[in-house]
Structure formats: structure tokens, C-alpha cells
Amino acid sequence: LNCVPVFEETGWDGMLIAVANGEVDVAGDGITYTEERDEAVDFSSLYQAYDETLLVREDEDRFSSADELLALGDYVVATQVGTTNEITAHELFGAENVRSYQEFGAAIEALLNGDVDAVVVDRPAAEGYITERGAMKTLEESLSGIQGLAFAFPPGSDLIEPVNAAMAY
């Protein structure tokens, strides 16, 4: 690409707004492509396919599916604010049963501490947390089917084509 990136950390909840406003040239943070987001920013080709799952404590035996969790009646599901996981959590479990955290790490800590019953998260991220922290497992059930991750660009960006070419190489 013949460029040297300058990395800037930013909060998730304002990242796509900054991209749409042209404040940054590209964002890459496990950004799920959605038609709604595509109205505000342009996307690269997808670079990873994944699904969403429930991450639970390793010794969880009260439920093994979303329906069984729903049947418990008294439960709390955690996720990260502003993510597609939060949308899925609200759609499946109702906003009253969802706690949204600024960072997934806080949601994971809440799970491990017994403050929540499950975390709605992308499966690759869940597997990373399991490898890093242990004491957790994912349910086999896919919550929303296969989705894809892509880089987000300001509308009309000249970087999209070269980034797609580099990923295809």
C-alpha cells in the first residue's frame, strides 16, 4: 500500500461516526458489515466470516441453548455497548435482561464473577477469551448465522481498492 499507518485508539461507540465524518482514514476493530452501517461508511471486502454465540462459565449446566436460557426466566446476559452483539442480545433476550459494558473485558469479568449468566459475543473473540482466561465455554448454537468482518472507510475513500487488492494477494 506504500503507506505508514498511524494508529489511534478510540472508543467503539464513536468509531464509525469518526469514519463517516472523515476524521480517520480507516477503522479495523472486528467491524461487522451490515447494510445499515453501509449507508454511513464504505467497507472493504470481508476478511473473516464468523457467528455470534453465548459464552458461559465452564461449569454452566442450567442451559445449553438460547431457548433454555430464556426458559429460566430470571437471567442476565452481558455484551458490549454499540456492537452488533448488543443488537442480537436485545432482539433475543429483551433489553431488560441485557447489561451492556463499555468493553468486552468487563462483560467477561462479570461472567466469571457470576454477575451475569452469559455473554453474547462473536465466536472468534469468545475462543480468544477462553484461551486467555479459561473457565469458560461457548454454546454450539449460532445466535444469528454467519456474518462478516470488514474495514470501514469514509464514503468514497481512495483506500478501499488498494486494501481489497492487498487482502486478495
Side-chain angles (χ1 to χ4, degrees):
L1 294 176
N2 292 324
C3 65
V4 177
V6 176
F7 295 97
E8 295 180 22
E9 283 191 43
T10 185
W12 173 259
D13 53 345
M15 182 174 45
L16 290 178
I17 294 168
V19 173
N21 291 337
E23 297 169 28
V24 296
D25 296 316
V26 61
D29 187 26
I31 301 169
T32 302
Y33 169 86
T34 67
E35 289 181 10
E36 180 182 355
R37 289 176 175 170
D38 197 26
E39 292 176 10
V41 299
D42 287 345
F43 284 96
S44 68
S45 299
L46 300 179
Y47 63 81
Q48 182 177 7
Y50 71 95
D51 68 331
E52 294 174 296
T53 187
L54 286 175
L55 181 64
V56 299
R57 288 179 294 280
E58 191 171 52
D59 62 353
E60 180 59 68
D61 61 2
R62 296 171 300 155
F63 60 93
S64 61
S65 70
D67 286 342
E68 290 177 3
L69 175 59
L70 285 164
L72 293 178
D74 184 26
Y75 62 89
V76 178
V77 174
T79 194
Q80 184 178 3
V81 68
T83 62
T84 53
N85 302 134
E86 184 182 46
I87 294 167
T88 298
H90 284 186
E91 288 175 355
L92 293 178
F93 303 106
E96 67 279 0
N97 296 315
V98 176
R99 280 193 203 148
S100 298
Y101 294 86
Q102 287 298 318
E103 303 290 333
F104 265 117
I108 300 303
E109 289 304 317
L111 176 66
L112 291 172
N113 292 334
D115 298 329
V116 301
D117 299 293
V119 177
V120 176
V121 63
D122 299 341
R123 193 172 301 274
E127 291 168 354
Y129 283 115
I130 291 168
T131 299
E132 180 182 312
R133 299 292 307 271
M136 296 175 285
K137 64 183 179 183
T138 59
L139 301 187
E140 290 184 31
E141 176 183 26
S142 176
L143 297 177
S144 58
I146 300 299
Q147 300 180 50
L149 302 179
F151 294 104
F153 298 88
S157 173
D158 292 337
L159 292 174
I160 299 169
E161 187 176 322
V163 166
N164 285 342
M167 287 193 303
Y169 180 71

